[in-house]
mmCIF file of all heavy atoms in Angstrom:
data_model
loop_
_atom_site.group_PDB
_atom_site.id
_atom_site.type_symbol
_atom_site.label_atom_id
_atom_site.label_comp_id
_atom_site.label_asym_id
_atom_site.label_seq_id
_atom_site.Cartn_x
_atom_site.Cartn_y
_atom_site.Cartn_z
ATOM 1 N N TYR A 111 -8.396 -46.466 -11.975
ATOM 2 C CA TYR A 111 -9.259 -45.289 -12.117
ATOM 3 C C TYR A 111 -9.514 -45.038 -13.596
ATOM 4 O O TYR A 111 -8.564 -44.980 -14.394
ATOM 5 C CB TYR A 111 -8.564 -44.095 -11.466
ATOM 6 C CG TYR A 111 -9.323 -42.791 -11.448
ATOM 7 C CD1 TYR A 111 -10.709 -42.737 -11.385
ATOM 8 C CD2 TYR A 111 -8.618 -41.582 -11.449
ATOM 9 C CE1 TYR A 111 -11.370 -41.516 -11.335
ATOM 10 C CE2 TYR A 111 -9.274 -40.361 -11.397
ATOM 11 C CZ TYR A 111 -10.648 -40.334 -11.347
ATOM 12 O OH TYR A 111 -11.298 -39.123 -11.302
ATOM 13 N N LYS A 112 -10.773 -44.905 -13.940
ATOM 14 C CA LYS A 112 -11.177 -44.673 -15.333
ATOM 15 C C LYS A 112 -12.030 -43.409 -15.399
ATOM 16 O O LYS A 112 -12.925 -43.201 -14.574
ATOM 17 C CB LYS A 112 -11.974 -45.874 -15.855
ATOM 18 C CG LYS A 112 -12.582 -45.702 -17.245
ATOM 19 C CD LYS A 112 -13.345 -46.971 -17.624
ATOM 20 C CE LYS A 112 -14.086 -46.819 -18.938
ATOM 21 N NZ LYS A 112 -14.817 -48.068 -19.301
ATOM 22 N N ILE A 113 -11.729 -42.571 -16.384
ATOM 23 C CA ILE A 113 -12.519 -41.364 -16.634
ATOM 24 C C ILE A 113 -13.000 -41.402 -18.076
ATOM 25 O O ILE A 113 -12.203 -41.649 -18.993
ATOM 26 C CB ILE A 113 -11.690 -40.087 -16.411
ATOM 27 C CG1 ILE A 113 -11.079 -40.063 -15.008
ATOM 28 C CG2 ILE A 113 -12.552 -38.843 -16.637
ATOM 29 C CD1 ILE A 113 -10.060 -38.949 -14.810
ATOM 30 N N PHE A 121 -9.835 -42.486 -20.326
ATOM 31 C CA PHE A 121 -8.522 -42.522 -19.693
ATOM 32 C C PHE A 121 -8.521 -43.624 -18.641
ATOM 33 O O PHE A 121 -9.436 -43.698 -17.812
ATOM 34 C CB PHE A 121 -8.210 -41.179 -19.043
ATOM 35 C CG PHE A 121 -8.383 -40.010 -19.974
ATOM 36 C CD1 PHE A 121 -9.582 -39.316 -20.005
ATOM 37 C CD2 PHE A 121 -7.369 -39.623 -20.827
ATOM 38 C CE1 PHE A 121 -9.760 -38.242 -20.869
ATOM 39 C CE2 PHE A 121 -7.533 -38.556 -21.700
ATOM 40 C CZ PHE A 121 -8.735 -37.864 -21.725
ATOM 41 N N ASN A 122 -7.506 -44.475 -18.689
ATOM 42 C CA ASN A 122 -7.414 -45.610 -17.779
ATOM 43 C C ASN A 122 -6.031 -45.639 -17.137
ATOM 44 O O ASN A 122 -5.015 -45.566 -17.837
ATOM 45 C CB ASN A 122 -7.633 -46.924 -18.538
ATOM 46 C CG ASN A 122 -9.007 -47.009 -19.153
ATOM 47 O OD1 ASN A 122 -9.968 -47.394 -18.508
ATOM 48 N ND2 ASN A 122 -9.116 -46.647 -20.441
ATOM 49 N N GLY A 123 -5.985 -45.737 -15.825
ATOM 50 C CA GLY A 123 -4.697 -45.772 -15.159
ATOM 51 C C GLY A 123 -4.804 -46.271 -13.739
ATOM 52 O O GLY A 123 -5.826 -46.832 -13.332
ATOM 53 N N ILE A 124 -3.727 -46.056 -12.986
ATOM 54 C CA ILE A 124 -3.628 -46.561 -11.626
ATOM 55 C C ILE A 124 -3.253 -45.424 -10.682
ATOM 56 O O ILE A 124 -2.301 -44.680 -10.936
ATOM 57 C CB ILE A 124 -2.568 -47.679 -11.532
ATOM 58 C CG1 ILE A 124 -3.046 -48.920 -12.289
ATOM 59 C CG2 ILE A 124 -2.264 -48.032 -10.075
ATOM 60 C CD1 ILE A 124 -2.030 -50.042 -12.333
ATOM 61 N N ILE A 125 -4.020 -45.285 -9.610
ATOM 62 C CA ILE A 125 -3.671 -44.355 -8.537
ATOM 63 C C ILE A 125 -2.789 -45.106 -7.545
ATOM 64 O O ILE A 125 -3.135 -46.197 -7.090
ATOM 65 C CB ILE A 125 -4.926 -43.801 -7.842
ATOM 66 C CG1 ILE A 125 -5.748 -42.958 -8.825
ATOM 67 C CG2 ILE A 125 -4.542 -42.939 -6.637
ATOM 68 C CD1 ILE A 125 -7.060 -42.451 -8.256
ATOM 69 N N ALA A 126 -1.645 -44.500 -7.236
ATOM 70 C CA ALA A 126 -0.666 -45.161 -6.369
ATOM 71 C C ALA A 126 0.162 -44.106 -5.659
ATOM 72 O O ALA A 126 0.007 -42.903 -5.887
ATOM 73 C CB ALA A 126 0.232 -46.090 -7.202
ATOM 74 N N PRO A 165 -4.306 -36.190 -6.974
ATOM 75 C CA PRO A 165 -3.080 -36.846 -7.439
ATOM 76 C C PRO A 165 -2.364 -36.058 -8.519
ATOM 77 O O PRO A 165 -2.982 -35.315 -9.282
ATOM 78 C CB PRO A 165 -3.591 -38.189 -7.986
ATOM 79 C CG PRO A 165 -5.018 -37.944 -8.334
ATOM 80 C CD PRO A 165 -5.520 -36.915 -7.374
ATOM 81 N N VAL A 166 -1.053 -36.221 -8.562
ATOM 82 C CA VAL A 166 -0.251 -35.728 -9.671
ATOM 83 C C VAL A 166 -0.493 -36.651 -10.866
ATOM 84 O O VAL A 166 -0.631 -37.873 -10.698
ATOM 85 C CB VAL A 166 1.240 -35.725 -9.284
ATOM 86 C CG1 VAL A 166 2.124 -35.408 -10.474
ATOM 87 C CG2 VAL A 166 1.486 -34.751 -8.144
ATOM 88 N N LEU A 167 -0.565 -36.076 -12.066
ATOM 89 C CA LEU A 167 -0.747 -36.887 -13.272
ATOM 90 C C LEU A 167 0.615 -37.255 -13.843
ATOM 91 O O LEU A 167 1.397 -36.385 -14.244
ATOM 92 C CB LEU A 167 -1.567 -36.115 -14.303
ATOM 93 C CG LEU A 167 -1.859 -36.850 -15.621
ATOM 94 C CD1 LEU A 167 -2.701 -38.105 -15.379
ATOM 95 C CD2 LEU A 167 -2.573 -35.922 -16.608
ATOM 96 N N LEU A 168 0.919 -38.553 -13.854
ATOM 97 C CA LEU A 168 2.164 -39.072 -14.413
ATOM 98 C C LEU A 168 1.851 -39.956 -15.611
ATOM 99 O O LEU A 168 0.768 -40.546 -15.703
ATOM 100 C CB LEU A 168 2.931 -39.890 -13.371
ATOM 101 C CG LEU A 168 3.356 -39.190 -12.081
ATOM 102 C CD1 LEU A 168 4.088 -40.177 -11.173
ATOM 103 C CD2 LEU A 168 4.242 -37.997 -12.368
ATOM 104 N N THR A 169 2.829 -40.071 -16.521
ATOM 105 C CA THR A 169 2.637 -40.959 -17.664
ATOM 106 C C THR A 169 3.839 -41.877 -17.820
ATOM 107 O O THR A 169 4.978 -41.492 -17.524
ATOM 108 C CB THR A 169 2.393 -40.148 -18.959
ATOM 109 O OG1 THR A 169 2.020 -41.023 -20.025
ATOM 110 C CG2 THR A 169 3.617 -39.330 -19.363
ATOM 111 N N MET A 260 0.836 -38.975 -3.771
ATOM 112 C CA MET A 260 -0.188 -39.666 -4.553
ATOM 113 C C MET A 260 -0.148 -39.238 -6.021
ATOM 114 O O MET A 260 -0.070 -38.048 -6.331
ATOM 115 C CB MET A 260 -1.566 -39.397 -3.957
ATOM 116 C CG MET A 260 -2.697 -40.127 -4.662
ATOM 117 S SD MET A 260 -4.279 -39.987 -3.782
ATOM 118 C CE MET A 260 -4.605 -38.211 -3.920
ATOM 119 N N SER A 261 -0.224 -40.217 -6.913
ATOM 120 C CA SER A 261 -0.201 -39.948 -8.348
ATOM 121 C C SER A 261 -1.222 -40.813 -9.076
ATOM 122 O O SER A 261 -1.587 -41.895 -8.600
ATOM 123 C CB SER A 261 1.186 -40.216 -8.925
ATOM 124 O OG SER A 261 2.157 -39.367 -8.368
ATOM 125 N N TYR A 262 -1.640 -40.315 -10.218
ATOM 126 C CA TYR A 262 -2.461 -41.093 -11.146
ATOM 127 C C TYR A 262 -1.584 -41.352 -12.357
ATOM 128 O O TYR A 262 -1.179 -40.427 -13.064
ATOM 129 C CB TYR A 262 -3.712 -40.314 -11.528
ATOM 130 C CG TYR A 262 -4.612 -40.994 -12.544
ATOM 131 C CD1 TYR A 262 -4.921 -42.342 -12.454
ATOM 132 C CD2 TYR A 262 -5.187 -40.270 -13.587
ATOM 133 C CE1 TYR A 262 -5.754 -42.963 -13.369
ATOM 134 C CE2 TYR A 262 -6.027 -40.873 -14.511
ATOM 135 C CZ TYR A 262 -6.305 -42.216 -14.400
ATOM 136 O OH TYR A 262 -7.134 -42.833 -15.321
ATOM 137 N N LEU A 263 -1.262 -42.610 -12.582
ATOM 138 C CA LEU A 263 -0.339 -42.993 -13.648
ATOM 139 C C LEU A 263 -1.116 -43.576 -14.822
ATOM 140 O O LEU A 263 -1.858 -44.552 -14.662
ATOM 141 C CB LEU A 263 0.670 -44.024 -13.140
ATOM 142 C CG LEU A 263 1.567 -43.531 -11.989
ATOM 143 C CD1 LEU A 263 1.141 -44.169 -10.669
ATOM 144 C CD2 LEU A 263 3.032 -43.851 -12.274
ATOM 145 N N ILE A 264 -0.958 -42.960 -15.989
ATOM 146 C CA ILE A 264 -1.626 -43.467 -17.182
ATOM 147 C C ILE A 264 -0.592 -43.727 -18.273
ATOM 148 O O ILE A 264 0.466 -43.083 -18.321
ATOM 149 C CB ILE A 264 -2.714 -42.498 -17.696
ATOM 150 C CG1 ILE A 264 -2.112 -41.192 -18.216
ATOM 151 C CG2 ILE A 264 -3.743 -42.212 -16.611
ATOM 152 C CD1 ILE A 264 -3.138 -40.311 -18.912
ATOM 153 N N PRO A 421 -6.183 -36.318 -18.881
ATOM 154 C CA PRO A 421 -7.412 -35.926 -18.195
ATOM 155 C C PRO A 421 -7.190 -34.863 -17.129
ATOM 156 O O PRO A 421 -6.081 -34.706 -16.612
ATOM 157 C CB PRO A 421 -7.864 -37.231 -17.551
ATOM 158 C CG PRO A 421 -6.575 -37.943 -17.244
ATOM 159 C CD PRO A 421 -5.673 -37.623 -18.403
ATOM 160 N N LEU A 423 -8.258 -34.054 -13.367
ATOM 161 C CA LEU A 423 -8.671 -34.928 -12.274
ATOM 162 C C LEU A 423 -9.556 -34.206 -11.273
ATOM 163 O O LEU A 423 -9.581 -32.976 -11.198
ATOM 164 C CB LEU A 423 -7.432 -35.474 -11.573
ATOM 165 C CG LEU A 423 -6.411 -36.148 -12.495
ATOM 166 C CD1 LEU A 423 -5.227 -36.649 -11.698
ATOM 167 C CD2 LEU A 423 -7.049 -37.285 -13.277
#
Side-chain angles (χ1 to χ4, degrees):
Y111 183 31
K112 174 180 175 180
I113 305 170
F121 308 94
N122 298 276
I124 292 176
I125 295 176
V166 172
L167 181 63
L168 300 179
T169 188
M260 183 171 65
S261 297
Y262 177 44
L263 299 106
I264 67 172
L423 307 180

